Amino acid sequence: MVRARDLTRGVVRPITFAYSARVADDRVVTDVEDLATARALITTLRDELTKAQRENASLRHQLDVLCQRLFGKKSERVDPRQLQLALEQLANEPGPVTEPIEMDSGDTPVREHERRRSTGRRPLPAHLPRRRVEIDVPDADRRCRCGHVKTRMGKSIAEKLEYEPASFVVIETVRAKYACPHCHEGVVEAPAPPQAVEKALAGEGLLAHVVVSKYLDHLPLHRLTGIFARHGVALSRSTLCDWVAEVAMALAPIGEQLRREITAATYLQTDDTPVTVLDERGGSYKGRLWTYLDPLGQQVVFDATPTHERDGPETVLAAFQGALQADAYSGYDGLYRTGRILEIGCWAHARRRFVEALMSDAQAALMVARIQQLYQVEHAGADLDPQARGALRRDQSVPVLAQIDAVRQDLARTVLPKSPLGDAVRYLTNQWTALQRFVDDGRLAIDNNRAENQLRVVAVGRKNWLFAGSFEGARRAALLYSLVQSCKLIDIPPFDYLKDVLLRVVTHPQRLIGQLTPKGWASTFRREAAA
């Protein structure tokens, strides 16, 4: 019974409220009269409200993360002002943060660039061919008003960058034939030059151009057919597909050698990304492209698998012994249990969860700031040798790790386990041992961002070619990505490399196949090819 004032009549009269509510088990409660039942109902409704608020907060967080990924900046860089605002908000709550936090706006260590004052237009590259156009003064203007002929005193030169579209060239190979004029027997013919793709209409340069266009410039083959048609050359998409398949078959021994060299390293970074693969029985499925990067040897290998199961990395890394840096994917756990592979954690993956949690919980700001201090140390040691970088980490990163551990333990006692911040803390706790190992070896990176960057070429290409036509097509893509991306790591033009290697691979001795990997070719044949 509750008394309320009837404002229309200005009198106080008793009003009886009939409560009607639906609880979790769908029972309807009505006409609550006694106090005990009302209290029980209030408790039930309060629990339901708390549960609904948590679900609402979780759904709002998921929506914020989705909107950020769809419409926001792709970088995980946190604005220092946003972080400072969150820290100030924490300072006004119970248990204030008393220790000052040094702010940093970046999350990836990069070398500091010296800003120079611009002095005008940059000179055009000296290696480009030049055609000189001479413009002389007309004869009438060479005679002075005094009657004498003017003499040439100098010249002014202006350069202009011009573009000439790529062109096709038909190469006619003439093979002489000889026969005896008397008996007309014993006809001999000059041998045909070796070809990586037997009886192909395309030369090595065209084959290299198709591969680079598809796997480096992200041009689907049907767009290439349109480009070629504008030059008056009609090539069907199926023909280009056949060429790519035959190029991959010819270069397969090089890919196997590259994989052997990668797995012989002592430190690798790995990551994976999904790729849609058409099923020959109809429909499609989600395959996987994996990358295995040797950051010290500057080589990378891609691998394709039909699923995301652990069989893929276990097959590739069957002979590998050393440190493996990856995310917390459970498929690597079997490799770590063998004892021959040491797990190295990735701080970028750990930080990412706290950045996402920061959208809904200001308590994540303290952890983001601490992690950024680790990246400040990496920034300071980017140009140091491994020994000096290891000493710097032991001196500066180890105390920061101790502070992060203290914050982690405090948050683990207070945050809800299923909240975004609770998920970030749980990831950090599960990976804590692996995340600390980078300080023990100056050769190791703080994260596996370089392996993730290798997958960008797949992510960008996937937006253009959309899917792999078959699993064999995905495997060919993995092989060709391995070669062109390894070329980029050591700054050699993929086109020059592929064109030259396609000429050599047929006759090159198998025991010297290591000379045809991008790294081997750069040290053995690059100068010869350039000449």
Side-chain angles (χ1 to χ4, degrees):
M1 188 77 68
V2 180
R3 293 185 180 273
R5 183 175 298 275
D6 189 336
L7 299 180
T8 59
R9 299 186 179 181
V11 297
V12 177
R13 62 177 58 184
I15 300 177
T16 301
F17 289 100
Y19 292 92
S20 177
R22 185 173 297 274
V23 294
D25 57 357
D26 292 335
R27 290 181 292 107
V28 178
V29 181
T30 59
D31 298 333
V32 177
E33 298 291 348
D34 61 295
L35 185 60
T37 304
R39 286 178 176 174
L41 178 60
I42 291 173
T43 301
T44 302
L45 294 177
R46 184 174 58 192
D47 293 342
E48 289 295 317
L49 178 61
T50 302
K51 180 180 177 181
Q53 288 175 337
R54 291 177 181 175
E55 292 180 352
N56 186 35
S58 176
L59 293 174
R60 283 183 177 276
H61 174 74
Q62 295 178 33
L63 180 61
D64 291 341
V65 172
L66 180 61
C67 290
Q68 172 66 24
R69 291 177 179 176
L70 289 177
F71 309 114
K73 293 182 179 180
K74 297 298 184 278
S75 173
E76 294 171 4
R77 188 181 299 265
V78 177
D79 192 331
R81 295 170 296 180
Q82 177 188 0
L83 205 54
Q84 188 66 40
L85 181 63
L87 290 172
E88 291 175 356
Q89 180 180 345
L90 285 178
N92 296 327
E93 296 178 355
V97 180
T98 57
E99 186 177 352
I101 302 294
E102 230 178 290
M103 306 304 299
D104 178 26
S105 61
D107 57 327
T108 303
V110 295
R111 298 184 180 181
E112 185 176 356
H113 298 281
E114 180 182 355
R115 294 188 177 274
R116 298 181 179 178
R117 186 176 179 182
S118 177
T119 57
R121 181 183 296 176
R122 293 182 180 181
L124 297 177
H127 70 274
L128 295 179
R130 282 166 166 77
R131 292 200 304 262
R132 174 163 293 192
V133 178
E134 295 278 354
I135 303 178
D136 208 344
V137 177
D139 293 340
D141 295 336
R142 294 185 191 179
R143 183 170 295 277
C144 184
R145 288 180 296 179
C146 66
H148 293 83
V149 177
K150 298 178 181 179
T151 59
R152 184 166 179 167
M153 57 174 291
K155 58 186 177 182
S156 61
I157 300 177
E159 291 187 333
K160 179 172 61 174
L161 188 63
E162 186 57 278
Y163 173 77
E164 294 181 356
S167 58
F168 287 91
V169 177
V170 177
I171 299 178
E172 294 182 349
T173 301
V174 181
R175 299 160 57 196
K177 293 183 179 181
Y178 290 85
C180 177
H182 300 288
C183 62
H184 303 288
E185 294 182 0
V187 177
V188 294
E189 184 179 8
Q195 288 182 282
V197 179
E198 289 293 336
K199 300 180 181 180
L201 180 67
E204 286 73 15
L206 179 55
L207 295 175
H209 174 68
V210 171
V211 171
V212 171
S213 298
K214 178 174 174 61
Y215 295 102
L216 199 60
D217 299 331
H218 320 298
L219 285 176
L221 296 182
H222 75 273
R223 293 185 191 172
L224 279 176
T225 60
I227 295 173
F228 294 159
R230 291 199 296 268
H231 290 272
V233 178
L235 294 172
S236 67
R237 179 180 174 275
S238 61
T239 299
L240 299 185
C241 287
D242 292 341
W243 288 353
V244 171
E246 291 170 341
V247 167
M249 184 181 300
L251 300 180
I254 303 175
E256 292 299 323
Q257 174 63 23
L258 188 59
R259 178 175 294 199
R260 287 190 290 269
E261 293 181 7
I262 286 285
T263 53
T266 58
Y267 169 44
L268 293 181
Q269 295 181 350
T270 181
D271 206 349
D272 63 275
T273 189
V275 172
T276 301
V277 182
L278 296 186
D279 194 337
E280 55 187 24
R281 296 169 297 181
S284 63
Y285 60 91
K286 285 293 183 182
R288 221 71 189 184
L289 276 182
W290 307 72
T291 180
Y292 301 91
L293 171 70
D294 178 7
L296 306 179
Q298 298 293 295
Q299 297 187 113
V300 65
V301 158
F302 289 75
D303 184 50
T305 59
T307 65
H308 195 212
E309 297 176 357
R310 64 184 182 182
D311 297 349
E314 285 185 350
T315 301
V316 174
L317 302 175
F320 173 69
Q321 295 184 11
L324 181 66
Q325 191 164 35
D327 56 17
Y329 170 54
S330 60
Y332 301 118
D333 293 345
L335 294 170
Y336 301 143
R337 285 194 292 266
T338 63
R340 58 184 173 83
I341 296 180
L342 181 65
E343 180 183 9
I344 309 297
C346 172
W347 275 101
H349 283 83
R351 180 184 182 275
R352 185 173 302 152
R353 283 170 164 78
F354 285 100
V355 171
E356 292 179 353
L358 185 59
M359 298 179 185
S360 57
D361 195 333
Q363 294 182 86
L366 184 58
M367 188 64 78
V368 173
R370 293 296 187 195
I371 295 175
Q372 285 184 346
Q373 287 182 324
L374 290 178
Y375 278 92
Q376 287 177 342
V377 178
E378 296 302 303
H379 179 85
D383 294 326
L384 300 179
D385 58 75
Q387 291 76 17
R389 190 180 302 114
L392 179 67
R393 288 172 175 174
R394 288 188 291 273
D395 182 51
Q396 298 185 21
S397 296
V398 170
V400 178
L401 287 172
Q403 297 168 354
I404 291 176
D405 191 26
V407 177
R408 175 182 67 86
Q409 296 181 23
D410 290 341
L411 290 175
R413 289 190 294 266
T414 58
V415 300
L416 295 173
K418 293 186 178 181
S419 66
L421 184 55
D423 176 70
V425 172
R426 183 171 60 254
Y427 180 94
L428 186 63
T429 300
N430 294 339
Q431 290 290 105
W432 183 243
T433 301
L435 286 169
Q436 298 178 82
R437 289 186 176 132
F438 79 99
V439 299
D440 299 329
D441 190 342
R443 301 176 308 153
L444 305 180
I446 191 174
D447 54 40
N448 71 336
N449 277 352
R450 293 189 62 186
E452 282 194 357
N453 289 341
Q454 290 298 314
L455 291 174
R456 287 184 178 180
V457 66
V458 180
V460 176
R462 190 171 52 205
K463 294 180 179 180
N464 292 274
W465 41 258
L466 301 180
F467 53 81
S470 64
F471 181 64
E472 285 302 316
R475 294 182 62 184
R476 288 194 293 267
L479 168 64
L480 297 173
Y481 276 134
S482 301
L483 297 178
V484 297
Q485 289 299 106
S486 292
C487 288
K488 289 179 61 178
L489 286 175
I490 55 176
D491 294 327
I492 63 174
F495 174 83
D496 295 347
Y497 164 77
L498 289 172
K499 180 180 179 181
D500 188 70
V501 164
L502 285 171
L503 290 169
R504 298 179 186 274
V505 69
V506 179
T507 58
H508 198 77
Q510 180 65 29
R511 60 184 176 85
L512 300 178
I513 196 67
Q515 295 179 347
L516 297 186
T517 64
K519 193 174 181 180
W521 180 86
S523 59
T524 308
F525 299 115
R526 185 176 186 178
R527 291 184 179 179
E528 178 183 341

